[in-house]
Short mmCIF file of all heavy atoms in Angstrom, two decimals:
data_model
loop_
_atom_site.label_atom_id
_atom_site.label_comp_id
_atom_site.label_asym_id
_atom_site.label_seq_id
_atom_site.Cartn_x
_atom_site.Cartn_y
_atom_site.Cartn_z
N ALA A 1 108.05 169.99 -50.70
CA ALA A 1 108.49 168.59 -50.62
C ALA A 1 107.97 167.94 -49.36
O ALA A 1 107.66 166.74 -49.34
CB ALA A 1 110.01 168.52 -50.68
N GLN A 2 107.84 168.73 -48.27
CA GLN A 2 107.39 168.18 -47.00
C GLN A 2 105.90 167.82 -47.02
O GLN A 2 105.43 167.06 -46.17
CB GLN A 2 107.65 169.20 -45.87
CG GLN A 2 109.12 169.39 -45.54
CD GLN A 2 109.90 170.07 -46.66
OE1 GLN A 2 109.39 170.99 -47.32
NE2 GLN A 2 111.13 169.62 -46.90
N TYR A 3 105.18 168.36 -48.00
CA TYR A 3 103.79 167.95 -48.18
C TYR A 3 103.66 166.88 -49.27
O TYR A 3 102.99 165.87 -49.09
CB TYR A 3 102.90 169.13 -48.56
CG TYR A 3 101.45 168.72 -48.74
CD1 TYR A 3 100.60 168.67 -47.64
CD2 TYR A 3 100.95 168.34 -49.98
CE1 TYR A 3 99.28 168.25 -47.78
CE2 TYR A 3 99.63 167.93 -50.12
CZ TYR A 3 98.81 167.88 -49.02
OH TYR A 3 97.51 167.45 -49.16
N LEU A 4 104.33 167.12 -50.39
CA LEU A 4 104.15 166.26 -51.56
C LEU A 4 104.47 164.80 -51.29
O LEU A 4 103.63 163.92 -51.51
CB LEU A 4 105.02 166.77 -52.72
CG LEU A 4 105.07 165.86 -53.95
CD1 LEU A 4 103.71 165.78 -54.62
CD2 LEU A 4 106.13 166.32 -54.93
N TYR A 5 105.67 164.51 -50.84
CA TYR A 5 106.10 163.11 -50.76
C TYR A 5 105.36 162.32 -49.68
O TYR A 5 104.97 161.17 -49.93
CB TYR A 5 107.62 163.05 -50.61
CG TYR A 5 108.32 163.62 -51.83
CD1 TYR A 5 109.05 164.81 -51.75
CD2 TYR A 5 108.22 163.00 -53.07
CE1 TYR A 5 109.67 165.35 -52.88
CE2 TYR A 5 108.82 163.53 -54.20
CZ TYR A 5 109.55 164.70 -54.10
OH TYR A 5 110.14 165.23 -55.21
N PRO A 6 105.09 162.89 -48.49
CA PRO A 6 104.23 162.16 -47.56
C PRO A 6 102.82 161.93 -48.12
O PRO A 6 102.21 160.89 -47.86
CB PRO A 6 104.20 163.07 -46.32
CG PRO A 6 105.49 163.83 -46.39
CD PRO A 6 105.70 164.07 -47.85
N ARG A 7 102.32 162.89 -48.89
CA ARG A 7 100.96 162.70 -49.47
C ARG A 7 100.99 161.58 -50.50
O ARG A 7 100.04 160.79 -50.59
CB ARG A 7 100.49 164.01 -50.12
CG ARG A 7 99.08 163.90 -50.74
CD ARG A 7 98.04 163.59 -49.69
NE ARG A 7 96.71 163.36 -50.26
CZ ARG A 7 96.26 162.18 -50.68
NH1 ARG A 7 97.05 161.11 -50.64
NH2 ARG A 7 95.03 162.06 -51.16
N LEU A 8 102.06 161.48 -51.28
CA LEU A 8 102.15 160.38 -52.23
C LEU A 8 102.29 159.05 -51.50
O LEU A 8 101.72 158.04 -51.93
CB LEU A 8 103.33 160.60 -53.18
CG LEU A 8 103.27 161.83 -54.09
CD1 LEU A 8 104.44 161.84 -55.07
CD2 LEU A 8 101.95 161.90 -54.84
N GLU A 9 103.05 159.04 -50.42
CA GLU A 9 103.17 157.81 -49.63
C GLU A 9 101.79 157.32 -49.19
O GLU A 9 101.51 156.11 -49.21
CB GLU A 9 104.05 158.07 -48.40
CG GLU A 9 104.26 156.85 -47.51
CD GLU A 9 105.03 157.20 -46.25
OE1 GLU A 9 104.62 158.13 -45.53
OE2 GLU A 9 106.05 156.53 -45.99
N GLN A 10 100.91 158.23 -48.82
CA GLN A 10 99.57 157.87 -48.40
C GLN A 10 98.74 157.25 -49.51
O GLN A 10 97.85 156.42 -49.26
CB GLN A 10 98.83 159.09 -47.85
CG GLN A 10 99.36 159.61 -46.52
CD GLN A 10 98.59 160.82 -46.03
OE1 GLN A 10 97.80 161.44 -46.77
NE2 GLN A 10 98.80 161.19 -44.78
N MET A 11 99.00 157.65 -50.76
CA MET A 11 98.18 157.15 -51.87
C MET A 11 98.61 155.78 -52.35
O MET A 11 97.85 155.09 -53.03
CB MET A 11 98.20 158.14 -53.04
CG MET A 11 99.43 158.09 -53.91
SD MET A 11 99.34 159.21 -55.36
CE MET A 11 98.22 158.31 -56.42
N PHE A 12 99.83 155.35 -52.02
CA PHE A 12 100.32 154.06 -52.50
C PHE A 12 99.52 152.92 -51.88
O PHE A 12 99.21 152.94 -50.69
CB PHE A 12 101.80 153.88 -52.19
CG PHE A 12 102.70 154.86 -52.89
CD1 PHE A 12 103.92 155.22 -52.33
CD2 PHE A 12 102.33 155.44 -54.09
CE1 PHE A 12 104.76 156.12 -52.97
CE2 PHE A 12 103.16 156.35 -54.74
CZ PHE A 12 104.37 156.70 -54.16
N LYS A 13 99.22 151.91 -52.71
CA LYS A 13 98.42 150.77 -52.27
C LYS A 13 99.17 149.47 -52.56
O LYS A 13 100.10 149.44 -53.37
CB LYS A 13 97.07 150.75 -53.00
CG LYS A 13 96.19 151.96 -52.72
CD LYS A 13 94.91 151.88 -53.52
CE LYS A 13 94.02 153.10 -53.27
NZ LYS A 13 92.77 153.06 -54.09
N ALA A 14 98.73 148.41 -51.91
CA ALA A 14 99.29 147.08 -52.17
C ALA A 14 99.20 146.78 -53.66
O ALA A 14 98.23 147.15 -54.32
CB ALA A 14 98.54 146.02 -51.36
N GLN A 15 100.23 146.15 -54.19
CA GLN A 15 100.33 145.71 -55.59
C GLN A 15 100.70 146.83 -56.56
O GLN A 15 100.97 146.56 -57.74
CB GLN A 15 99.01 145.07 -56.09
CG GLN A 15 98.42 144.02 -55.19
CD GLN A 15 99.24 142.76 -55.09
OE1 GLN A 15 99.95 142.43 -56.02
NE2 GLN A 15 99.14 142.07 -53.98
N ASP A 16 100.72 148.10 -56.13
CA ASP A 16 101.07 149.18 -57.05
C ASP A 16 102.45 148.98 -57.66
O ASP A 16 103.36 148.47 -57.02
CB ASP A 16 101.07 150.53 -56.32
CG ASP A 16 99.69 151.14 -56.16
OD1 ASP A 16 98.74 150.61 -56.75
OD2 ASP A 16 99.57 152.15 -55.43
N ILE A 17 102.60 149.42 -58.90
CA ILE A 17 103.91 149.53 -59.54
C ILE A 17 104.23 151.02 -59.63
O ILE A 17 103.55 151.77 -60.34
CB ILE A 17 103.92 148.89 -60.94
CG1 ILE A 17 103.67 147.38 -60.83
CG2 ILE A 17 105.25 149.16 -61.65
CD1 ILE A 17 103.49 146.69 -62.18
N ILE A 18 105.23 151.44 -58.89
CA ILE A 18 105.60 152.86 -58.82
C ILE A 18 106.91 153.05 -59.59
O ILE A 18 107.91 152.39 -59.28
CB ILE A 18 105.77 153.31 -57.36
CG1 ILE A 18 104.46 153.07 -56.58
CG2 ILE A 18 106.18 154.78 -57.29
CD1 ILE A 18 104.68 152.75 -55.12
N VAL A 19 106.89 153.90 -60.59
CA VAL A 19 108.08 154.18 -61.39
C VAL A 19 108.45 155.63 -61.15
O VAL A 19 107.68 156.55 -61.47
CB VAL A 19 107.82 153.93 -62.89
CG1 VAL A 19 109.09 154.22 -63.70
CG2 VAL A 19 107.36 152.49 -63.12
N ALA A 20 109.62 155.85 -60.56
CA ALA A 20 110.05 157.21 -60.19
C ALA A 20 111.28 157.59 -60.99
O ALA A 20 112.25 156.84 -61.05
CB ALA A 20 110.34 157.27 -58.69
N GLU A 21 111.23 158.77 -61.60
CA GLU A 21 112.31 159.24 -62.44
C GLU A 21 113.59 159.49 -61.64
O GLU A 21 113.56 159.84 -60.46
CB GLU A 21 111.87 160.54 -63.14
CG GLU A 21 112.89 161.16 -64.06
CD GLU A 21 113.31 160.25 -65.19
OE1 GLU A 21 112.62 160.21 -66.23
OE2 GLU A 21 114.35 159.58 -65.05
N THR A 22 114.71 159.29 -62.31
CA THR A 22 116.01 159.62 -61.75
C THR A 22 116.03 161.07 -61.29
O THR A 22 115.56 161.95 -62.00
CB THR A 22 117.10 159.40 -62.82
OG1 THR A 22 117.07 158.04 -63.22
CG2 THR A 22 118.47 159.75 -62.29
N GLY A 23 116.59 161.31 -60.11
CA GLY A 23 116.71 162.67 -59.63
C GLY A 23 115.81 162.93 -58.45
O GLY A 23 115.59 162.07 -57.60
N THR A 24 115.26 164.16 -58.37
CA THR A 24 114.54 164.56 -57.17
C THR A 24 113.27 163.75 -56.94
O THR A 24 112.85 163.56 -55.80
CB THR A 24 114.20 166.06 -57.22
OG1 THR A 24 113.54 166.34 -58.46
CG2 THR A 24 115.45 166.90 -57.14
N ALA A 25 112.62 163.28 -57.99
CA ALA A 25 111.38 162.51 -57.82
C ALA A 25 111.64 161.22 -57.05
O ALA A 25 110.96 160.92 -56.07
CB ALA A 25 110.76 162.21 -59.18
N SER A 26 112.62 160.45 -57.50
CA SER A 26 112.91 159.19 -56.81
C SER A 26 113.52 159.44 -55.44
O SER A 26 113.25 158.70 -54.48
CB SER A 26 113.83 158.31 -57.66
OG SER A 26 115.05 158.97 -57.95
N MET A 27 114.35 160.47 -55.31
CA MET A 27 114.96 160.77 -54.01
C MET A 27 113.91 161.18 -52.98
O MET A 27 114.03 160.85 -51.80
CB MET A 27 116.00 161.87 -54.16
CG MET A 27 117.23 161.42 -54.94
SD MET A 27 118.37 162.80 -55.24
CE MET A 27 119.48 162.04 -56.44
N GLY A 28 112.88 161.88 -53.42
CA GLY A 28 111.82 162.27 -52.50
C GLY A 28 111.03 161.11 -51.97
O GLY A 28 110.48 161.16 -50.87
N LEU A 29 110.96 160.03 -52.76
CA LEU A 29 110.18 158.86 -52.37
C LEU A 29 111.03 157.74 -51.78
O LEU A 29 110.50 156.71 -51.38
CB LEU A 29 109.40 158.32 -53.58
CG LEU A 29 108.31 159.26 -54.10
CD1 LEU A 29 107.76 158.74 -55.43
CD2 LEU A 29 107.18 159.39 -53.09
N GLY A 30 112.35 157.94 -51.74
CA GLY A 30 113.23 156.86 -51.29
C GLY A 30 112.92 156.37 -49.89
O GLY A 30 113.05 155.17 -49.60
N PHE A 31 112.48 157.27 -49.00
CA PHE A 31 112.24 156.89 -47.61
C PHE A 31 110.75 156.70 -47.31
O PHE A 31 110.37 156.53 -46.15
CB PHE A 31 112.85 157.93 -46.68
CG PHE A 31 114.35 158.01 -46.81
CD1 PHE A 31 114.93 159.01 -47.58
CD2 PHE A 31 115.17 157.07 -46.23
CE1 PHE A 31 116.30 159.08 -47.72
CE2 PHE A 31 116.55 157.12 -46.38
CZ PHE A 31 117.12 158.13 -47.13
N ALA A 32 109.91 156.71 -48.34
CA ALA A 32 108.50 156.37 -48.16
C ALA A 32 108.38 154.88 -47.87
O ALA A 32 109.09 154.06 -48.45
CB ALA A 32 107.70 156.74 -49.41
N LEU A 33 107.47 154.52 -46.99
CA LEU A 33 107.23 153.10 -46.69
C LEU A 33 106.20 152.56 -47.68
O LEU A 33 105.12 153.14 -47.85
CB LEU A 33 106.72 152.93 -45.26
CG LEU A 33 107.76 152.81 -44.17
CD1 LEU A 33 107.09 152.63 -42.81
CD2 LEU A 33 108.71 151.64 -44.43
N LEU A 34 106.53 151.46 -48.31
CA LEU A 34 105.64 150.87 -49.31
C LEU A 34 104.70 149.87 -48.66
O LEU A 34 105.10 149.11 -47.78
CB LEU A 34 106.47 150.16 -50.39
CG LEU A 34 107.46 151.02 -51.18
CD1 LEU A 34 108.21 150.14 -52.17
CD2 LEU A 34 106.76 152.16 -51.90
N PRO A 35 103.46 149.82 -49.13
CA PRO A 35 102.55 148.77 -48.64
C PRO A 35 102.93 147.41 -49.20
O PRO A 35 103.79 147.29 -50.09
CB PRO A 35 101.19 149.23 -49.16
CG PRO A 35 101.48 150.12 -50.32
CD PRO A 35 102.82 150.75 -50.06
N LYS A 36 102.31 146.38 -48.71
CA LYS A 36 102.64 145.01 -49.07
C LYS A 36 102.56 144.80 -50.58
O LYS A 36 101.59 145.19 -51.22
CB LYS A 36 101.68 144.04 -48.36
CG LYS A 36 101.98 142.56 -48.62
CD LYS A 36 101.04 141.70 -47.82
CE LYS A 36 101.23 140.22 -48.15
NZ LYS A 36 102.59 139.74 -47.91
N ASP A 37 103.61 144.20 -51.12
CA ASP A 37 103.69 143.80 -52.53
C ASP A 37 103.69 144.96 -53.52
O ASP A 37 103.55 144.75 -54.72
CB ASP A 37 102.56 142.82 -52.90
CG ASP A 37 102.66 141.50 -52.15
OD1 ASP A 37 103.80 141.08 -51.87
OD2 ASP A 37 101.61 140.92 -51.82
#
């Protein structure tokens, strides 16, 4: 988890629509910083 979620945070781009499933997937991304829009 300490690798996966920060790596996903890096891949997110402006305008992306990110849909995260209920449970560990969304919880892992809850504290990721999103780019603009």
Side-chain angles (χ1 to χ4, degrees):
Q2 291 68 38
Y3 181 86
L4 172 66
Y5 296 112
R7 180 62 185 88
L8 297 186
E9 181 185 54
Q10 290 180 348
M11 79 176 285
F12 296 153
K13 297 178 181 178
Q15 312 292 332
D16 279 351
I17 296 173
I18 302 149
V19 180
E21 180 60 85
T22 300
T24 52
S26 58
M27 291 174 192
L29 294 170
F31 297 99
L33 274 180
L34 300 178
K36 183 177 175 58
D37 295 327

